[in-house]
Amino acid sequence: MGVRDRLRSQCPGRRSHLGIALQAFERLGAAPWADRAQAELTATGTAGRPAGHGPAGNLTPQELQIVRLAAQGATNKDIAAQLILSPRTVGHHLYKAYPKLGVTSRAELADLDFG
């Protein structure tokens, strides 16, 4: 539900629905679903880390999502398909995120902890 709602115009209550879903998935031990709900909450801008907290503190929610996927070894094309973006947009977000993280290559992302 979160991706579809995020792609549409503002949907009242989507954050609360995602928050409830996240709690339920965590309680059930459904880690992949909990991760997805957390990613969607982050994409709405409500569940991001405060600025200056950890290596990802200064990233936008979209940059954080993309950097996490890149750190797991996904290609720009794979990330673009998963997040419904163009590969060029993914590359742009990575380009903007690298200086914020103090890295110069994709390989260095794997060494960072994004929580």
Side-chain angles (χ1 to χ4, degrees), residues 37-74:
Q38 179 62 55
E40 288 303 318
L41 276 169
T42 301
T44 68
T46 60
R49 290 191 170 111
H53 186 273
N58 294 323
L59 297 180
T60 66
Q62 189 76 61
E63 287 170 347
L64 180 58
Q65 235 182 347
I66 290 169
V67 166
R68 280 182 174 155
L69 292 169
Q72 294 171 0

